[in-house]
Amino acid sequence: MFSTALYIYLYFNTYGHIESELEKQLNHILKNNINYQIGQNFYIQNSNPLQRESLFIEVLDKKISKNTYTKSKVQNNIYYSISSPYKTNKVLKITKDITQDVRFLDSTFKGIILVIFFAFILIQLFALAFSNILYKPIQKLSITLSKLKEHDLEILNSQDLPLEFYPLVTSINNLLQRIKSYFGGQKQLFIGIAHELKTPLAVIKTKCEVTLIKEREKEVYINALRENIQSINEMNAIIKTLLDLGRQESAQFEKSSLVDVHKILQNIADNFHILSKKEQKQFICKLETNELLITIKPTLLTQIVQNFLQNAFKFTPKGKSVLLTSQIIHQEILRIVVVDEGCGIDSDLENIYAPFKRAGNKSGAGLGLFLAKNAANALGGRISLQNRLDTNGTIATFELRIANLK
């Protein structure tokens, strides 16, 4: 591109200089009102003694309306001419031999072509050598990554790699850390599942074995069956929660779509209004997100809000209230808050977001907040829980930066 631009500049500059010289001589003749006759022709030598250039002047018997330039070739010489209206029905034609100029442009063009050819070869050789230098670290990284196993994710060492690969290795190590955390969470989850299912199964087995030791009254068998049914219901609740976990995993692969957040929150609120009447609790809804359109995964947002409200209604006594609010903070953060009048968060609970962590003696598998936190992370937001300062109760908050989502 540079060579082409250089040739174009030389070409137009050369012809511009030639045209300027011809126009200068033409203006001199016209300005001095020199009278030449038709058929008259002669040469004018360049006033510069260092240059042997000469101009050939002709007076032709024809008529033209404006100045025109023509290029012609006679034998091995090339000429450039300007024709201009002169006097009445005459044409003044001034011609210059531009053979040397054309040869200069031709030799320049050939030189540029030659330079481009060798430059292309050098670029190819440099690219080949540079790619070979880059290939070795990439091959080393590829071999290292191919040897990694899901149970032994070692952090990559960047000391033996070029400086340009440090950001890549850092990103890969961050990804490996997230994968290790994910596998650790899954392992903890499976251990919790096994423990939660093992307890009711052990209870059922023990009651059945004790009941079968000897014959008992009818009421004893009925009570044993009822207790077993209760244990089975607890297991069903755990299995239902695990199914919710599976649905959330699928929801994380859901395609984001443009939705009205206010409409989603209002639909959730309508359902919990019905529940509040059934449980004799007051439900207050204050939504300040009218016509908030953002691109988001709606299923995950619904799971977070529903979990907040389910926990709030679970721990709020009859006659007390649950508050749902939504607002936009500084025109860039969506904040959804659920406030209840329940027992609050147990300060002795180490990690309230860990799976199978329960507060108090309420029923449930203890996966609600675990699912809510996973959903918030998948959306790029965060959740937080804290006790109310004015009275008993919990404040559950979900915040999502929406400035980059619209």
Side-chain angles (χ1 to χ4, degrees), residues 123 172 273 403:
I123 290 173
I172 293 176
H273 271 297

Side-chain angles (χ1 to χ4, degrees), residues 84-111:
S84 175
Y86 177 67
K87 299 299 182 176
T88 303
N89 297 328
K90 297 180 184 179
V91 172
L92 181 63
K93 184 177 180 181
I94 303 176
T95 303
K96 180 181 179 181
D97 187 350
I98 61 169
T99 304
Q100 296 298 325
D101 299 284
V102 173
R103 288 176 180 174
F104 167 74
L105 290 176
D106 290 342
S107 61
T108 302
F109 180 75
K110 293 176 181 178

Side-chain angles (χ1 to χ4, degrees), residues 343-396:
C343 60
I345 303 173
D346 187 357
S347 58
D348 296 331
L349 207 58
E350 295 181 0
N351 185 5
I352 196 171
Y353 303 109
F356 304 106
K357 293 290 184 180
R358 297 187 183 90
N361 58 355
K362 296 292 184 179
S363 61
L367 286 173
L369 291 177
F370 173 75
L371 296 175
K373 185 172 180 61
N374 285 348
N377 292 338
L379 291 177
R382 67 182 185 91
I383 64 173
S384 61
L385 277 83
Q386 60 184 9
N387 288 325
R388 294 176 55 172
L389 299 178
D390 54 349
T391 181
N392 290 335
T394 305
I395 303 174

Side-chain angles (χ1 to χ4, degrees), residues 153 155 171-183:
L153 299 177
I155 301 300
S171 299
I172 293 176
N173 286 336
N174 291 335
L175 176 61
L176 292 176
Q177 287 287 2
R178 291 197 297 269
I179 294 175
K180 289 176 68 174
S181 299
Y182 174 79
F183 282 137

Side-chain angles (χ1 to χ4, degrees), residues 67 91 117-118 141 176 189 192 199 202 221 304-305 307 319 334 346 371:
N67 293 350
V91 172
F117 175 75
F118 284 106
L141 276 176
L176 292 176
L189 179 62
T199 301
Y221 290 110
I304 295 171
V305 180
N307 175 264
L334 168 64
D346 187 357
L371 296 175

Side-chain angles (χ1 to χ4, degrees), residues 281 310-317 340-344 358-363 394:
K281 301 172 184 177
Q310 287 169 356
N311 285 339
F313 274 88
K314 182 189 298 184
F315 294 102
T316 299
D340 63 55
E341 294 183 346
C343 60
R358 297 187 183 90
N361 58 355
K362 296 292 184 179
S363 61
T394 305

Side-chain angles (χ1 to χ4, degrees), residues 64-173:
I64 59 176
S65 58
K66 60 180 180 179
N67 293 350
T68 58
Y69 291 95
T70 56
K71 184 178 180 182
S72 59
K73 183 176 182 181
V74 179
Q75 295 181 353
N76 294 327
N77 295 332
I78 300 173
Y79 299 93
Y80 198 72
S81 304
I82 181 173
S83 299
S84 175
Y86 177 67
K87 299 299 182 176
T88 303
N89 297 328
K90 297 180 184 179
V91 172
L92 181 63
K93 184 177 180 181
I94 303 176
T95 303
K96 180 181 179 181
D97 187 350
I98 61 169
T99 304
Q100 296 298 325
D101 299 284
V102 173
R103 288 176 180 174
F104 167 74
L105 290 176
D106 290 342
S107 61
T108 302
F109 180 75
K110 293 176 181 178
I112 289 175
I113 295 297
L114 190 63
V115 169
I116 291 176
F117 175 75
F118 284 106
F120 181 76
I121 294 177
L122 290 176
I123 290 173
Q124 292 294 322
L125 293 175
F126 175 77
L128 183 62
F130 187 69
S131 62
N132 190 34
I133 294 173
L134 292 179
Y135 175 73
K136 291 181 179 179
I138 293 175
Q139 185 182 35
K140 184 177 180 180
L141 276 176
S142 178
I143 294 174
T144 303
L145 291 174
S146 64
K147 293 180 179 179
L148 290 178
K149 298 181 180 179
E150 60 273 16
H151 301 296
D152 186 20
L153 299 177
E154 297 181 358
I155 301 300
L156 301 181
N157 187 4
S158 59
Q159 294 182 353
D160 298 333
L161 297 175
L163 183 63
E164 294 80 7
F165 284 81
Y166 284 7
L168 174 61
V169 174
T170 301
S171 299
I172 293 176
N173 286 336

